[in-house]
Amino acid sequence: MEPSGLDDLLIEAVFTAGAHIGSVYVLDGSRQVLQMEASIGLPATIARSWARVRTSDHAPISVAVRQRRLVWLRDRVALARRFPAVALALPYHFAMAFSPICSGGAVWGGFALGWPTGAESSLTQRRLRLIEDVCARMGLVLRRASEQGRPIVPGPLPRILDQVHAVRPGQPAGLTALACLDCLPEGYCHLDAQARVTLVTAPAARLLDADPAEMIGQRLCKALPWLDDPLHEDHYRAAVVSHQVTRFTARHPSGRHLSVECHPGVPGVTLRITPVAERHAPAGDGQGNPPLIGLHEMLHLATCLAQAVTAQDVVDLVADHVLPVTGAQALAILSWENGRMRVAASRGYSQEGIERFNGRPVVHALPWVPGYQWDRPSFYGTWPEFRRTFPTAVRVDGMSAFALLPLAASGQSIGTCVLAYERPHRFEDGERAMFTALGGLIAQAFERAWLYDNKHQLAESLQARLLPSDLPEIPGLDLAARYLPTTPGMDIGGDFYDVIRLDDTVAAAVIGDVQGHDMTAAALMGQVRTAIRATATAAASCGEVLSHANRLMTELAPDRFTSCLYLKLDLAARTMCLANAGHLPPLLSTPGAATRILDDHPGLLLGIDPDTEYVTAEARLPPGSVLALYTDGLIEQPGLDLGDAISGLAAGFTPGRDQPLPELAESLLQPAVLGGRTDDTAILLLRSTP
């Protein structure tokens, strides 16, 4: 069925409601996506950006359809508070109403109307009744089309309607109007909703130094490449969407400056072009307002924040993008715990100021301060104004003006973002709306970073608890150990090591690697380490220790495997025995001899066959000998054969007679640290001493 019925209803609604924007969405077959069928008043580039919206998205039209209710946004600030991501993409001044289109008890799509902000942008009873009536009639059109087997299916791109055909002047009247405009000293140029040139007066052609015949039908930025600037286009979009006059100054290739005023209409805009003296060329946006963060910069910031994994990452990215253009000097994210404040991350504040602030009781606003709401952004142009709301606040680094952006996640407050100015500052409406949208963006990024930091701290704490806090002091044996978690991600590793004192002259050492990087691997690692320690103290042989751990592994986690190397050292006899369950062979460096790779009789990994027996091998341990036990994170490299990697490690393992073992461990780790790691790394060094 042709959608002409929807078109007529859309045009009627826009004119009757005194709106300047209107859009109709239709649910697709899956009922998971809203597709824009037609639009009036929106620039084509914006309409295409919102052509497909998922019903699960946090967008006004999605909420209206999903919850079957009207969503009313009276201005840009309301949009930024409730839908910060949408406000970033549409940083313009306008009021919007979004409503579901229902009929026969089912939802068929969504409808949107927009008005310029101001005194006329209120949801009156008349407008509410009009929206309800139009949506009911649109729903009837969509339902009947579906019942007749000819459902209205939007095309890949929304249709941009031109409602001027309702009152289209004749050809003579149009020529007369153009002749009148040509008599005026300033130039005029009209653009339709696609930003294509439909009219150019003679004075405009002279000022632009262009041929009208070559401009008609083309987009302005294509006809005049020197006007192809995102800032200029944003003024055009702002005029159309907000339905307010915008102006900017453009520099002609000849060096002349032209003032361009964008007067919105329905549809498109009319440009008024006048020459500007060089000394009078305005700065900023041409309206005396300070330049704010542009749409493209905001979208770039949003993309960058998606990669942030720590609170400091969030602050650094926001500071890089926001501080230079807003004139703010400092930025901080505050959180709290047990009634005390903490600076999670900052930029621009001194270390002394942060230390003075950290740990102070949470500052509360006076309950009777008018207009203050803890869950909404608040702005204070001077320090006395700030103190009137927060009388117990402490002034840090002499800052004088503040924007406080509350950060909430899942309906709970997780912190506050503070932007501070060294001097008093007046927050204009545009700034307030921009900061409000920015607060929503920061909240989402900080929530991810907050979860990441907490998970990472939990992983590190658990890992530390499962590894020995201190190595025992054993006469005749020097010890050193190092553990490095993997670089990417926050997973908990399964690498472990331990040293056990069995009696005055006998000690045991173990190192292993549980398959996986998760909580299960960490739990198994702790159980295997405990089982080996218990069996070792029962005077079992090396092979028996591993056999017992193997039977335990097959019972606890038949789908997980563990490599493990177990050594028993007799320091009085200067001998050792070892058993290996699929682990990397240890290295033995003795004075006056080349380093040996002790790779005799490795057995199966723990957890494969419960009946596996592990062979015990023996070796001499002369005074001054150094043993190196390690996990695969130390040597594994993409494309490098494991045997070659072990041989290379052995060739470079030449401990000095008096070299401290901690220093030797650091030197072994250095290549892994510099080259990046793809796995956890554990090292245990043992030296036989007199």
Side-chain angles (χ1 to χ4, degrees), residues 16-89:
T16 306
H20 70 289
I21 292 174
S23 298
V24 178
Y25 283 86
V26 178
L27 276 170
D28 72 347
S30 70
R31 302 188 65 80
Q32 301 298 315
V33 177
L34 287 159
Q35 294 179 273
M36 188 184 293
E37 159 59 27
S39 181
I40 297 174
L42 273 182
T45 52
I46 294 181
R48 290 168 183 167
S49 299
W50 295 93
R52 290 173 57 86
V53 183
R54 301 195 67 83
T55 55
S56 58
D57 289 347
H58 188 58
I61 189 68
S62 303
V63 172
V65 170
R66 189 167 64 242
Q67 299 181 4
R68 296 196 181 193
R69 66 179 180 85
L70 182 80
V71 174
W72 168 251
L73 302 168
R74 67 181 305 275
D75 53 25
R76 180 183 172 188
V77 174
L79 177 66
R81 285 173 178 164
R82 297 177 59 184
F83 304 95
V86 178
L88 291 176

Side-chain angles (χ1 to χ4, degrees), residues 1 103 108 139-151:
M1 176 176 286
S103 182
W108 297 91
L140 187 61
V141 171
L142 291 170
R143 179 167 63 87
R144 286 179 175 173
S146 178
E147 291 172 348
Q148 295 171 10
R150 294 181 294 170

Side-chain angles (χ1 to χ4, degrees), residues 77 80-81 84 377 379 405 431-441:
V77 174
R81 285 173 178 164
F379 305 91
L405 312 179
E431 278 185 296
R432 291 171 184 253
M434 183 269 292
F435 280 134
T436 301
L438 183 65
L441 199 62

